[in-house]
Amino acid sequence: MTASRFMAIQQALQPDWFQCLSDGEASCAEPTSIKRARKSVDRSLLFLDHCLRLQEESEVLQKSTIIGVIEGGDVLEERLRSARETAKRPVGGFLLDGFQGNPATLETRLNLLSSVTAELPEDKPRLISGVGRPDEVLECIERGVDLFESFFPYQVTERGCALTFSFDYQPNPEETLLQQNGTQEEIKCVDQTKKIKTTSCNQEMTSFEINLKEKKYQEDFDPLVRGCSCYCCENHTRAYIHHLLVTSELLAGVLLMIHNFEHYFGFFHSIREALKSDRLALLKELIRRQAS
Amino acid sequence: MATASPTSLESAPRILRLVSECSRSRARAGELRLPHGRVATPVFMPVGTQATMKGITAEQLDALGCRICLGNTYHLGLRPGPELIQKAHGLHGFMNWPHNLLTDSGGFQMVSLVSLSEVTEEGVRFRSPFNGDETLLSPERSVEIQNALGSDIIMQLDDVVSSTVTGPRVEEAMYRSIRWLDRCIAAHQQPEKQNLFAIIQGGLDADLRATCLEEMTKRDVPGFAIGGLSGGESKDQFWRMVVLSTSRLPKDKPRYLMGVGYATDLVVCVALGCDMFDCVFPTRTARFGSALVPTGNLQLKKRQFQKDFRSIDPECACPTCQKHSRAFLHALLHSDNTAALHHLTVHNIAYQLQLMGTIRTSIMEKRFPDFVRDFMRTMYGDPTLYPTWATEALASVGITLS
């Protein structure tokens, strides 16, 4: 895959926005060597410049916007260099690559993230790949990220689960939590298992969801989430979804995906509202209480 | 032979209103009046075995114009079970389907899962494939489950033998089906809400079938199904049994031909006097990447569709044909995304329902024979390619194909 080949594909696709070709190798190897990080930044800038030139020459791509990719692994200097240099180019936005991984690594990378976004212009969007858990999303937003991918609700669906976490930040978050998650006993259960469940991989079930395959949902005639206005919650019950999963019916995934998208988008809506009314801290606290 | 009272059911409601009849053939257009609304006939009923239509939502199915579909008592009786469904306000409530439902009795599984079952006068003994438990499906139990499911039309438990079986077993099954019909009638708790249909058996033996027809039509049920066909028998034998059946079944009650779903079969059997049909074919074939069209089918996985940007059928009004091209579906079929299966299921159901709609319109407009001729020409091209059985069957009811 060369820059030319890459741009030829973009010409065929005619996207509104596209992420530029970059070298993200540094982020895969742990720990990152400074040399490798430097190389990834250099290469990525070369790719970017080449792609920008090719874009100039292409009539078809005049309406498309290139997103510059910030690389550099876990090496602060290289990250800063990547940010500063990329910001000099006429890109429409920035993608922060290499921050995906497990919750443990994200913590150390969050500091890196703050430093990086500080170097980027205020008036251009910042995208991040590989971050999808609600608690992690909020951490990134606090550090200047604007756009996220939707693979998280998809993964939840694939494991037969439904997002049920509350994002309704009321002055009394405790009450809302009870409302969303059902009984008092369920909350206690979550607290107890907090210590047991050490998710080392994002693929495992999180505390933001329920597993519809569990026997307890067999006779549960409530919707997935009370008050949710998605097609699934307005028309179907947990018992029905459970049945569909147990019988391996295709409709299970369809209905769960509809709900999980709606729920996740609802979460983002609440984030925007919280930011507008300066109540992000409340939302963050609510989400934190539901994280395991 | 024990004689149960055949009229323990009060005079059965006349649920079929005939609107138009073909003056040449036996084709009829009508309207079923069922607890969950009216259904135009002739009608094709998609099969939603486990309380779902293979990946498409109730809303999508409704939007396609479906007003009656099938659920399977055998499957639902095992998972999730009648007690749970009853708690969910019946099968309608459980799957949130506002229109009509027809449940079969579970008898067909006797043929398809015969290695797991044993038939006696009592009923059919199954071994559950899930937990190994033995269950007895008797006429009473089948009706009990179907009462719990609350479907608008329920089927008697019949003693089903494969149409390829010959000898005394066929006769035994036929007489037993009559006895089981009477037991079902006696056990039926909700005749006002659910319409119990009889199922004519007798295999491919004209005498046995005639006997079955004579006996079962003495029972005052709201409708009759023609069973025991659509197995491995030859089409030649098949149509003769259908014609025999429709000639002896009352005109003012619906005739449900079970397991028939290929387009040609539907057209011919409407001509022979049938009103209702069901088949897994359209939904099953969709999941193999096959789209139904007036000229047969398109195997969309094939290379030839890679750059074909036309819709499956330019005349089709379904959402798939409105939005997507063959090329797109081809690409989807070669990815690990299951979306193509949903699109094709939608289209194939639409195809079947649209076909029945055009059949019905042609009957009402008194041009059914011409419709049949056009249909055959489109499907087969050259008259020399017309299947012999279809030509003969149609000729037997006065429709000649030039």
Side-chain angles (χ1 to χ4, degrees), chain B residues 336-367:
Chain B
D336 56 7
N337 191 316
T338 61
L341 309 181
H342 301 274
H343 292 312
L344 289 177
T345 301
V346 164
H347 168 76
N348 284 358
I349 291 177
Y351 171 80
Q352 298 284 106
L353 298 182
Q354 279 167 161
L355 174 63
M356 300 315 282
T358 48
I359 289 173
R360 185 172 197 265
T361 306
S362 74
I363 298 170
M364 306 224 294
E365 291 177 0
K366 307 292 186 197
R367 50 176 183 81

Side-chain angles (χ1 to χ4, degrees), chain A residues 110-124:
Chain A
L110 285 175
N111 294 331
L112 206 58
L113 187 58
S114 298
S115 312
V116 170
T117 55
E119 302 293 328
L120 300 173
E122 282 289 301
D123 62 346
K124 289 183 181 177

Side-chain angles (χ1 to χ4, degrees), chain A residues 218-221 231 234-237 239-240 243-244 246-251 254-255 258, chain B residues 50-52 54-59 76 79-80 84 87-88 94-96 287 338 341-342:
Chain A
Q218 205 177 39
E219 290 195 23
D220 188 339
F221 295 112
Y231 175 81
E234 300 229 296
N235 290 285
H236 296 296
T237 61
Y240 185 58
H243 163 74
L244 294 175
V246 160
T247 54
S248 305
E249 282 287 343
L250 287 170
L251 189 61
V254 172
L255 293 176
I258 290 173
Chain B
Q50 302 193 102
T52 163
K54 297 300 175 199
I56 72 173
T57 64
E59 188 182 71
L76 295 170
R79 299 185 302 189
L84 179 75
K87 283 186 193 166
F94 187 59
M95 54 187 288
N96 199 16
R287 299 197 298 285
T338 61
L341 309 181
H342 301 274

Side-chain angles (χ1 to χ4, degrees), chain B residues 58-232:
Chain B
E59 188 182 71
Q60 284 176 297
L61 196 55
D62 167 272
L64 290 171
C66 179
R67 293 295 173 263
I68 181 168
C69 62
L70 252 76
N72 192 294
T73 296
Y74 170 73
H75 292 82
L76 295 170
L78 289 171
R79 299 185 302 189
E83 295 78 19
L84 179 75
I85 292 185
Q86 203 156 29
K87 283 186 193 166
H89 306 296
L91 191 53
H92 288 89
F94 187 59
M95 54 187 288
N96 199 16
W97 174 243
H99 305 299
N100 296 292
L101 285 167
L102 184 153
T103 46
D104 73 340
S105 62
F108 179 67
Q109 276 67 39
M110 279 190 243
V111 174
S112 51
L113 300 169
V114 83
S115 58
L116 292 173
S117 67
E118 189 207 345
V119 183
T120 63
E121 187 60 26
E122 219 190 343
V124 189
R125 222 162 264 287
F126 283 105
R127 194 166 287 281
S128 163
F130 307 115
N131 55 21
D133 283 357
E134 238 194 34
T135 40
L136 172 70
L137 187 66
S138 63
E140 291 76 15
R141 179 65 182 147
S142 176
V143 169
E144 186 184 27
I145 296 173
Q146 293 183 81
N147 282 159
L149 298 177
S151 34
D152 304 89
I153 298 177
I154 68 176
M155 305 304 295
Q156 70 154 113
L157 183 69
D158 49 343
D159 185 0
V160 183
V161 289
S162 164
S163 50
T164 52
V165 168
T166 53
R169 178 74 185 101
V170 183
E171 183 170 350
E172 177 194 52
M174 185 273 285
Y175 281 112
R176 180 172 291 143
S177 296
I178 299 171
R179 294 192 293 276
W180 281 5
L181 171 59
D182 290 337
R183 282 167 62 182
C184 286
I185 292 171
H188 188 21
Q189 296 294 307
Q190 299 172 143
E192 352 59 61
K193 278 204 231 163
Q194 299 179 276
N195 297 284
L196 172 64
F197 277 26
I199 306 178
I200 310 292
Q201 294 293 341
L204 302 172
D205 185 313
D207 291 329
L208 290 178
R209 213 161 256 277
T211 305
C212 198
L213 282 156
E214 192 181 326
E215 282 306 311
M216 286 193 173
T217 49
K218 288 179 189 166
R219 278 73 173 164
D220 195 15
V221 288
F224 296 91
I226 302 166
L229 299 175
S230 211

Side-chain angles (χ1 to χ4, degrees), chain A residues 152-199:
Chain A
F152 179 67
Y154 172 71
Q155 284 175 330
V156 171
T157 302
E158 287 292 280
R159 48 180 179 252
C161 295
L163 292 173
T164 53
F165 70 96
S166 171
F167 45 81
D168 189 10
Y169 57 101
Q170 310 262 12
N172 188 355
E174 192 102 55
E175 206 170 298
T176 326
L177 196 69
L178 285 168
Q179 201 181 34
Q180 291 288 7
N181 283 353
T183 62
Q184 192 77 40
E185 292 116 71
E186 261 194 70
I187 308 291
K188 278 204 192 125
C189 246
V190 170
D191 285 337
Q192 275 163 18
T193 55
K194 242 192 240 185
K195 289 168 191 166
I196 303 164
K197 268 195 239 166
T198 43
T199 49

